[in-house]
Structures are given as structure tokens and as C-alpha cells.
Amino acid sequence: MGEQRLSGRVAIVTGSSRGIGLAVARRLADEGAAVVVNYVAREAEADAAVAGIVLAGGRAVALQADVSRGSDVATMVQSTLDHFGRIDILVNNAGIMITKSLMETDEDDWDRTIDVNLKGAYLCSKAVAPVMVAQGGGTIINISSNSGLYHPSAMRFTEYVVSKAGMNGLTKAMALALGPQVRVNAICPGWIRTDMMEDIDPEVHQRILEETALARWGTPGDVAASAAFLASDDAAFITGELLIVAGGRGMH
Ligand code: NAP
């Protein structure tokens, strides 16, 4: 087990059956938090994530919920309270990216992306906020994207960029609305190697590496380390901020 900055805390990490969310769930558990591993479809992966955390000495449970559906979110939050009795940390990580250009996309692509990436974060945050306020404190971390921050040179997926720009605004609005009890921050990752990036053209990969000062892909662990920091009391005076974890990509 690593440093126990999060002992006694309870975390929900949406979309933590795979990729960045999985690394965040493992890291929070490693630092002492009991973790809800949320997934939408891949039950076997979520069960494996829980088994790995338990094997490492942590506490975790897998809960299925589509974050874009308010009724699913309400059930997930109630089940979390039934299992662990409180909620200290919410990581809004569940997300999708549809790799079509603007003119190839249709209304359903727009709706689905905005519903999962943006409305999902809104629904989950609204559902946990009263619990956190009643407890006297808590923290929300939105996994946004640096594509929502600046002209997206290689990220031409319009509705995805819009969803992440919206998430950045949501972060600041919620930090104001939920202070002083609840801190709300976002992480804007750059290029992280996960399933989500499988469909991206290799030429785009190369171009992005050339734009990245540290000249490598990020890892899910790079994002997880920042999430653990923002979740901990080391970030006690930080709220409403966007932390870019992108190896120096997009400075210009
Ligand atoms: P990923 O490997 O594709 O994993 C996506 C996760 O989200 C899975 O656990 C999936 O569950 C879950 N999910 C999808 N739709 C959901 C829904 N409606 N309700 C609940 N869970 C849902 O993605 P990733 O690359 O780790 O990305 C995680 C987050 O980081 C996303 O918000 C993404 O936009 C953001 N991000 C990624 C990068 C990158 O380069 N990879 C860069 C910047 C930001 P199932 O396993 O059940 O399908």
C-alpha cells in the first residue's frame, strides 16, 4: 500500500472499469479510500478491477450505472451509501468520443456525447452534493480534456470538444455553487494511451507527439496521480481550477 492520504474516505469513480478511470480507482484505493468502480457495460472488467483492489488490501465494489440517466445515478449513489455509509470523493471520468468529422456526425452522436460527458457529470455531482454538504465536506474532480481548452489542432471531434469545454465551465460554476463545503476541480489530460485512442490515425499520433514538450504519451497513472492530489487535503485550498496534465502540449 502507498501513502494513506485518503484513509476513511469513500470515492465514486465513474467509468472505472478501464483506462484512466481504472487507474484513478486503483490509486485512490492505494491511498486508503473505499472505491465504487462504476461501469456501463463491461461487467467482467469492473469485477476484475474490484478483485485487483481487494487483492492489494483495498476496499471496492462494482456498480453498474449509465451516468447519462438520472435514475441510474440515483441508484448508484444510494448503493454507495448502503455499502460504505458516506461519499467524500466523486470523480466524473466516464466519457465517450465518437471519431467522426463534423459533417459525418448526426443528431444522435451529438446527444449521446453531450449526455454522457457533460450531463453525466452534472447528474452525478448533483446527486452526491447534498450528501457531501450534510457531511460537512467533499470534493468533485471532473476528468475533462485539454481539447476543451484551446484550438484543438488534431481533435476535430466537435461534440467531444464542446462537451469538455462545457465541463470546464461546469467545474467553475459548481465550485462557486457548492463552496465552502465542496471543492470542485477538473483535470485536463492531453494524449493518454487507452482504448479511447485506438481509432485515431497514426499520423495524428505522430503530430501530437511532436507538439508535446515531454515527447511521450501520458499514462492513465499520470492522470491518477493528479486526481489523488486534488482529492487529498494537500489540495485543501484549491477549487474551481483546471489542472492540465498534458506533457506540455498546447502551451502555445
Ligand atoms: P475508455 O478507455 O474508453 O474508458 C471509458 C470508461 O467510461 C469505461 O469504463 C466505460 O465503461 C465508461 N463509460 C462509458 N460510457 C459510460 C456511461 N454512459 N456511464 C458510465 N460509464 C460509462 O476512456 P479513457 O480514455 O479512459 O477516458 C476516460 C475519461 O478521460 C473520458 O472522460 C475522456 O474523455 C477523458 N480523456 C481521455 C483522454 C485520452 O487521451 N485517453 C484525454 C483527455 C481526456 P465500460 O467499460 O462499461 O464501457
Side-chain angles (χ1 to χ4, degrees):
M1 299 292 275
E3 189 188 347
Q4 295 283 293
R5 284 188 294 191
L6 304 176
S7 275
R9 314 234 176 134
V10 174
I12 298 175
V13 184
T14 67
S16 50
S17 41
R18 296 182 278 137
I20 292 170
L22 173 59
V24 171
R26 283 179 175 153
R27 178 69 188 248
L28 299 186
D30 194 39
E31 297 214 22
V35 178
V36 167
V37 173
N38 160 253
Y39 65 100
V40 65
R42 301 199 189 197
E43 187 177 7
E45 276 90 338
D47 287 344
V50 167
I53 289 169
V54 170
L55 195 64
R59 290 206 297 159
V61 65
L63 295 180
Q64 195 277 341
D66 180 340
V67 295
S68 70
R69 295 165 57 102
S71 54
D72 281 22
V73 170
T75 303
M76 174 173 70
V77 168
Q78 188 53 54
S79 299
T80 303
L81 292 170
D82 292 345
H83 276 96
F84 297 127
R86 53 189 292 123
I87 303 170
D88 303 281
I89 301 161
L90 167 68
V91 182
N92 285 313
N93 166 82
I96 57 170
M97 183 172 74
I98 296 169
T99 53
K100 295 180 186 170
S101 67
L102 174 63
M103 298 313 292
E104 288 167 348
T105 55
D106 58 25
E107 189 176 342
D108 286 344
D109 295 327
W110 173 275
D111 285 346
R112 190 70 194 138
T113 304
I114 301 295
D115 280 358
V116 175
N117 296 7
L118 184 54
K119 184 178 157 194
Y122 159 81
L123 290 174
C124 292
S125 301
K126 262 198 81 177
V128 303
V131 178
M132 291 178 172
V133 169
Q135 287 170 186
T139 186
I140 297 173
I141 298 161
N142 293 326
I143 306 299
S144 179
S145 167
N146 72 345
S147 65
L149 281 174
Y150 63 92
H151 177 69
S153 58
M155 297 292 279
R156 301 209 170 107
F157 312 125
T158 308
E159 67 290 334
Y160 180 82
V161 168
V162 170
S163 73
K164 296 304 187 178
M167 203 178 210
N168 295 342
L170 182 70
T171 300
K172 290 176 183 290
M174 289 199 308
L176 284 169
L178 299 177
Q181 293 99 336
V182 181
R183 294 188 297 108
V184 187
N185 292 289
I187 296 174
C188 299
W191 218 230
I192 312 293
R193 197 179 278 276
T194 66
D195 293 347
M196 186 177 272
M197 293 298 145
E198 285 298 305
D199 293 343
I200 307 287
D201 187 337
E203 277 177 29
V204 174
H205 285 194
Q206 189 51 38
R207 185 146 41 93
I208 285 179
L209 283 183
E210 286 162 11
E211 291 172 358
T212 303
L214 296 183
R216 68 165 174 87
W217 289 75
T219 66
D222 289 324
V223 180
S226 294
F229 163 67
L230 287 173
S232 78
D233 293 343
D234 289 343
F237 201 48
I238 301 177
T239 195
E241 294 295 340
L242 312 176
L243 177 57
I244 303 173
V245 180
R249 176 164 178 253
M251 287 184 289
H252 38 283

